[in-house]
Amino acid sequence: MKLDPFYLIVDSSAWIERLVPLGVKLVQLRIKTMDEAGLRAEVRKAKALCARHECQLIINDYWRLAIEEGCDFVHLGQEDLQTADLARIRAAGLRLGLSTHDDVELETAMAAEPGYIALGPIYPTILKKMKWAPQGLERISEWMRRVAPIPLVAIGGLNPDRLNGVFAAGADSAAVVTDITLNDDPEARTREWIEKTGRWR
């Protein structure tokens, strides 16, 4: 499986409606707190928008909802992986992305036969408080050797100036949240990411 090198992560279908039409081809909808009706509406809108713009949608955490709504890709953190019904996920034909931060988590993730492995945080990040120190570029190379040919997604503290190093170290895709969503001009920043990742597309 090949992932687009630009992996956008947003917390609403409104962001998808705003940024995906600019040329985004891979986006994760990551909503942390919302009632089920609201979540379902967000997933449906996101799915329709992504289908219209030929963008791969990945649903974070809510694998049951992803199955019910006919999505084809879900991302799970390690805690969610412990309680997920992998047999049901596979039976529904969902591809699976998994977060990893250390050796134990990598072994757990690989046993689940994922569609991709994510490693983070590569650099310090303001998105959430992390108990792990920044992984650095050498860790990307180590993970790449251990997971290949499964695609490797780098996440955490990334910006356009850091992409050359991330891809040179072996990442297949670079995930971004706040560098775009907290930017003064998210549209311009998205276009910059699309342009900068073009050579690895």
Side-chain angles (χ1 to χ4, degrees), residues 163-198:
L163 291 177
N164 284 343
V166 165
F167 287 112
D172 297 282
S173 186
V176 56
V177 187
T178 57
D179 185 66
I180 287 177
T181 59
L182 295 184
N183 194 277
D184 290 339
D185 189 341
E187 285 82 1
R189 195 63 157 180
T190 297
R191 291 187 183 97
E192 184 178 359
W193 269 80
I194 292 171
E195 180 184 354
K196 287 284 180 71
T197 54

Side-chain angles (χ1 to χ4, degrees), residues 72-191:
D72 61 5
F73 218 136
V74 66
H75 180 94
L76 299 177
Q78 290 283 322
E79 290 183 8
D80 298 294
L81 177 60
Q82 301 306 317
T83 58
D85 188 338
L86 292 180
R88 189 175 163 198
I89 289 171
R90 290 195 188 99
L94 264 73
R95 287 174 288 176
L96 182 64
L98 296 173
S99 295
T100 66
H101 307 87
D102 57 35
D103 292 297
V104 173
E105 290 188 352
L106 180 58
E107 289 180 17
T108 301
M110 292 297 283
E113 301 178 353
Y116 72 78
I117 293 283
L119 171 67
I122 306 304
Y123 294 96
T125 175
I126 62 172
L127 180 62
K128 56 183 175 181
K129 199 166 186 178
M130 288 281 203
K131 65 179 181 180
W132 297 276
Q135 306 279 0
L137 297 179
E138 288 185 7
R139 190 81 157 189
I140 294 176
S141 299
E142 177 192 346
W143 248 234
M144 182 270 294
R145 288 190 293 269
R146 294 170 67 177
V147 308
I150 297 171
L152 178 63
V153 176
I155 184 171
L158 302 188
N159 60 46
D161 293 334
R162 290 172 167 169
L163 291 177
N164 284 343
V166 165
F167 287 112
D172 297 282
S173 186
V176 56
V177 187
T178 57
D179 185 66
I180 287 177
T181 59
L182 295 184
N183 194 277
D184 290 339
D185 189 341
E187 285 82 1
R189 195 63 157 180
T190 297
R191 291 187 183 97

